[in-house]
Amino acid sequence: MSSGSAFNDEKGGSSSVAEPEYGHDPASGGIFSSDYKRHDDLKEMLDSNKDSLKLEAMKRIVAMIARGKNASDLFPAVVKNVACKNIEVKKLVYVYLVRYAEEQQDLALLSISTFQRGLKDPNQLIRASALRVLSSIRVTIIVPIMMLAIKEAASDMSPYVRKTAAHAIPKLYSLDPEQKDQLIEVIEKLLADKTTLVAGSVVMAFEEVCPERIDLIHKNYRKLCNLLIDVEEWGQVVIINMLTRYARTQFLNPNINESLLEEGNTEGKTFYGSDEDEDEDEDEEEKEKKAEALAKRKPYVMDPDHRLLLRNTKPLLQSRNAAVVMAVAQLYFHLAPKAEVGVIAKALVRLLRSHSEVQFVVLQNVATMTIKRRGMFEPYLKSFYIRSTDPTQIKILKLEVLTNLANETNISTILREFQTYIKSMDKDFVAATIQAIGRCATNIGEVRDTCLNGLVQLLSNRDELVVAESVVVIKKLLQMQPEKHSDIIKHMAKLIDNIQVPMARASILWLIGEYCEHVPKIAPDVLRKMAKSFTNEEDIVKLQILNLAAKLYLTNSKQTKLLTQYVLNLAKYDQNYDIRDRARFIRQLIVPTEKSGALSKYAKKLFLALKPAPVLESPFKDRDHFQLGSLSHLLNAKAGGYQELPDWPESAPDPSVRNVEVPEWSKCSAREKRKEKKVEKPFYSDSEGESGPTESADSESDSGSGSESASGSEESGSGSESDEEESDEGSDEEEEEEEPKLTKKKMQEVKKPVHQSESSMKTFELLHRITGEGLSVEYCFSRQPFSPDANMVAVQIHFTNNSSSDVSNLHVEDAKLQSGMRVKEFPEIEVLAAGDTTTAVMGIDFCDSTQAANFQLCTNSKKFFVTIQPPVGELMRPVFMTENEFKKEQGQLMGMNEISEKLTLDSNCRNEHSIVQRVTTAANLSRVPCGSDNEFAARTVTSNSLVLVTVATKQEGAAQLTVNCDKMLIGTMLVKEILQGLTQ
């Protein structure tokens, strides 16, 4: 078998039997190949005993699928290799099966036992792929197997597998909705997961399966808020949209007092004078009731959880993903106090530099926002000026925004812009500009005459479309003050011979008929001309000719009686039944006969009644009842799957439902005494004051990641204290056994007794003993300088061999790092005897970021994928600084480099000793001696950037936390960690 023939078959015979094949290379021989021989070389490669051939075949098959070619006839040959021992082949087989399992369900069912075995594979990618394939088989008979697989995957050690389980939940629900109750239990379990990888996926499953069950969100609300900044981008979008709807049901409207005042000041305007008099008394009563309600209402105080959501989403306005920025913008628009909504304007204006598709969506939402919150976009008026390169739809949306932003101060600038736009070659855009001028004239009375005169000048334009659109807009404007503008009506009557656009002709005829008393000499002549061309006119024009004839018959019957009868006779035999019906109706109404009914007496009142001037409104006026950023808002119609934005509650629901209960055992008095002893340790020691409490790793939700140190442990109500107590109680005996097994180097570095130092370090699980087949690995950040490279963070790794056999050649391989990151591996551990423990130190340069370092931990026979993710507090080293130096450096790091948060200190944390202990536990900082406030200093390990922290205490536990750092992201995350440490 030659490689040339394999290539030829791939090119020539990859499509299915039924579809014709185009674009063959004549030299390929594909034209002459029979269907039954197609892909034979790939099948031979897949049946081969060599993994290299199988891998090559699978790569080519996946490449065919990526190019959109049909490879379904290879399903039997591929599915046989699902049991292949080669990991790379197995991954590609699962990629193929996910694509075709739904089409080839019978063949997929034959291999279901292999997929079930894949769920137990030690490799997390294989376990996840097996679950993905299983959930792609859309056959109800395997629903129990899928349910069992999802439940097991939800408890998997790997966050990636748990994420895949969350993805499988909506698939199973769509296959069998009766499984909803069991799936809700799984969702509830996954919502409690502390890893950022799972959060977005499980919220998506929640939205698909049970969006009405907001009780599942209560306990996880604070955790989701705190995890949000570390979740992947599309997960952030899903979580933000869900939390928007949640907040609308759980918190009070922050603008309730303002909205009541606005309602009280707004008077209902009616068109007819008789109604105004009758409604005056009712309006006064309503005003009095609203005033009483406003007086009785308590002053609004924002719920701390409401503030938490707003505070934690605000940094995401700087996201590079437009969908995330849009999601935060809609959250602020729907939830934030009026004074705070302005922060989203700059972020949305930034998105206008993106692709035209992004601009279209953003401008749709900005157009809606500018109707109610005009002020926040006024400083960015020039950003909405139209470029010649903009597509027509973008131009029209920018026009809409400019029209909404128009007011007395900027109208002259906007009108000058509009004058330029009218000269454009884009006719649709020109028409929209003329309509925009009309709206500006309607909304701002001071420029009405100016706009009207400008539009009249456009009537002499050579472009018929411009003239026609101007006529339509002028007609609407003239209805407001017709008696002042009889000259304009005469001018428009003269244009009736030249304008051919039906809508424009109809508008002129309506104007002449409505105000025929202002042009008594011209109106009959216009009717005469129209009667001549009646049969050749469009239907909309014919209807207005009939109206004009009727009105002139009622006001000037001497001159127009015969003309009217002639027009009515023409209309009587018209092809359009609407026109025939209108003619019969008008004849009976205005021409009195013996059979005429009572209505004919009132013909004049019916035809010549005063009509209200049209209100030119934005098409986006009522769109804000749809959630901004949603497809329904974009279409202005309810799309499938759209969930309504709930109304604000009248009274605030119980906020205690979001409190997370502390387990009873943690309140034991003995534990309290032990905790007090730990607090009394001196904080000046490197190993004591600058290290945090030990944190036991949760085998189900925290394996392979230390991310909860940065964000997951920030849940209000649970926090680090209960974690500390739990780990202390569970690991006292282990600590006593581990004391004599520390290395000599470590013994020299530690200044206090060993058990105290080790208990003060927060440890994370790197490898669970089940996943590691007896080898368990934990790591902690020792906060000691890493001597081989000062720009690296020292990570102390503790190995324990729980198996009955020795483990040899422990080392690190295949480090997968983000750009700029580096790893200094620990020396290879030759032998770790059964039951023994040992400690090694490795260095990692995290580049001043909390991104994870991924690598393989290898023994002589196994490889394990592991991840180390640092808390932000471990990315710095303490520096000594006098108070004067501190103040000087702080003065240079003001403005955007300063982040402040107000807080209320915990009752156990109001003395200086406790504050210092908690701050240095949260981050590797050094206390500034003799400072007026609690001041701390450090430098980041990689870039040597200065980090300054101040905790200024006030009366009754109130305090202000300030972080000054030229790296804004580190400053933001550090504030969050220290805040959590001080308040829980």
Side-chain angles (χ1 to χ4, degrees), residues 99-113:
R99 169 67 179 80
Y100 286 111
E102 194 167 342
E103 295 178 18
Q104 305 276 349
Q105 292 178 358
D106 294 338
L107 287 170
L109 283 171
L110 295 176
S111 303
I112 203 160
S113 59

Side-chain angles (χ1 to χ4, degrees), residues 960-979:
Q960 178 157 338
L961 170 64
T962 305
V963 173
N964 299 81
C965 179
D966 60 0
K967 289 186 173 287
M968 289 176 62
L969 189 59
I970 283 186
T972 304
M973 296 170 71
L974 187 61
V975 164
K976 193 192 298 181
E977 277 208 12
I978 296 176
L979 200 65

Side-chain angles (χ1 to χ4, degrees), residues 51-52 55 81 83-91 126:
D51 286 348
S52 59
L55 185 60
N81 289 286
C84 179
K85 292 183 179 179
N86 186 297
I87 295 294
E88 296 302 318
V89 173
K90 193 179 279 193
K91 286 179 189 174
I126 300 301

Side-chain angles (χ1 to χ4, degrees), residues 645-804:
L645 196 63
D647 292 326
W648 292 102
E650 290 293 326
S651 57
D654 181 14
S656 65
V657 294
R658 289 182 291 279
N659 293 341
V660 181
E661 295 177 6
V662 179
E664 287 297 324
W665 54 263
S666 68
K667 299 173 185 175
C668 173
S669 58
R671 303 305 302 159
E672 289 294 331
K673 289 177 184 175
R674 294 194 54 181
K675 188 176 171 190
E676 286 172 10
K677 288 180 184 176
K678 289 190 177 181
V679 171
E680 289 169 4
K681 292 175 188 175
F683 56 87
Y684 291 109
S685 162
D686 290 340
S687 60
E688 296 300 318
E690 294 168 9
S691 301
T694 304
E695 176 180 86
S696 63
D698 183 343
S699 63
E700 288 190 2
S701 60
D702 302 336
S703 65
S705 170
S707 64
E708 71 268 28
S709 63
S711 54
S713 62
E714 291 175 17
E715 285 181 79
S716 303
S718 59
S720 60
E721 291 178 16
S722 59
D723 289 342
E724 179 185 345
E725 292 164 7
E726 181 180 356
S727 63
D728 288 340
E729 184 174 343
S731 59
D732 285 345
E733 295 177 6
E734 292 178 16
E735 287 169 7
E736 290 171 8
E737 291 175 3
E738 289 166 3
E739 284 174 27
K741 294 169 187 171
L742 285 172
T743 60
K744 290 182 180 178
K745 183 178 177 183
K746 187 66 186 171
M747 289 287 287
Q748 291 169 358
E749 291 173 352
V750 177
K751 298 178 184 177
K752 292 287 174 184
V754 174
H755 69 277
Q756 292 179 349
S757 172
E758 202 163 284
S759 67
S760 65
M761 290 184 211
K762 187 177 289 187
T763 61
F764 307 99
E765 185 177 69
L766 191 62
L767 184 66
H768 192 270
R769 59 187 178 83
I770 296 175
T771 311
E773 299 180 8
L775 177 66
S776 65
V777 186
E778 293 181 336
Y779 69 94
C780 64
F781 298 91
S782 63
R783 297 191 174 180
Q784 302 297 328
F786 187 67
S787 52
D789 190 334
N791 288 336
M792 288 187 170
V793 177
V795 182
Q796 183 176 315
I797 304 176
H798 191 76
F799 301 91
T800 305
N801 186 359
N802 299 296
S803 66
S804 55

Side-chain angles (χ1 to χ4, degrees), residues 5 108 222-223 239 313 346 410 661 737 819 882 910 936:
S5 65
R222 292 168 183 161
K223 182 193 72 181
I239 293 172
T313 51
K346 190 173 183 179
N410 61 24
E661 295 177 6
E737 291 175 3
S819 177
T882 64
R910 295 190 178 176
F936 307 86

Side-chain angles (χ1 to χ4, degrees), residues 488-680:
I488 295 175
I489 298 173
K490 290 174 186 176
H491 181 68
M492 292 175 72
K494 293 174 185 176
L495 294 172
I496 198 74
D497 296 330
N498 302 323
I499 296 177
Q500 299 302 320
V501 178
M503 190 67 203
R505 290 173 72 83
S507 297
I508 292 173
L509 292 173
W510 185 91
L511 267 179
I512 294 169
E514 187 66 20
Y515 306 114
C516 55
E517 294 171 359
H518 297 287
V519 284
K521 294 180 180 178
I522 294 173
D525 193 51
V526 171
L527 180 61
R528 177 182 61 80
K529 290 179 180 178
M530 290 295 102
K532 285 182 182 180
S533 61
F534 183 87
T535 52
N536 299 322
E537 299 288 351
E538 292 290 331
D539 292 344
I540 189 171
V541 181
K542 288 178 180 177
L543 289 172
Q544 291 305 327
I545 293 171
L546 287 172
N547 284 342
L548 174 62
K551 290 173 183 176
L552 288 175
Y553 183 88
L554 294 170
T555 57
N556 188 3
S557 58
K558 288 180 182 179
Q559 282 185 290
T560 57
K561 184 175 182 180
L562 292 174
L563 269 176
T564 303
Q565 288 179 350
Y566 174 70
V567 169
L568 289 174
N569 287 332
L570 287 175
K572 185 178 179 181
Y573 301 104
D574 196 86
Q575 290 182 347
N576 188 304
Y577 57 82
D578 280 337
I579 293 166
R580 296 198 299 271
D581 290 349
R582 179 70 64 90
R584 291 191 192 97
F585 169 72
I586 288 174
R587 189 188 294 274
Q588 291 297 320
L589 203 57
I590 65 173
V591 182
T593 62
E594 294 177 2
K595 296 180 180 179
S596 295
L599 273 179
S600 59
K601 299 175 185 176
Y602 304 103
K604 202 163 189 177
K605 287 186 178 179
L606 287 171
F607 277 100
L608 302 174
L610 288 173
K611 297 175 182 66
V615 179
L616 300 179
E617 291 182 339
S618 167
F620 292 87
K621 185 181 180 186
D622 297 320
R623 280 203 195 183
D624 60 343
H625 66 276
F626 290 119
Q627 188 169 349
L628 293 188
S630 65
L631 178 63
S632 298
H633 175 269
L634 196 72
L635 301 174
N636 199 23
K638 190 172 179 180
Y642 174 73
Q643 293 164 33
E644 295 282 353
L645 196 63
D647 292 326
W648 292 102
E650 290 293 326
S651 57
D654 181 14
S656 65
V657 294
R658 289 182 291 279
N659 293 341
V660 181
E661 295 177 6
V662 179
E664 287 297 324
W665 54 263
S666 68
K667 299 173 185 175
C668 173
S669 58
R671 303 305 302 159
E672 289 294 331
K673 289 177 184 175
R674 294 194 54 181
K675 188 176 171 190
E676 286 172 10
K677 288 180 184 176
K678 289 190 177 181
V679 171
E680 289 169 4

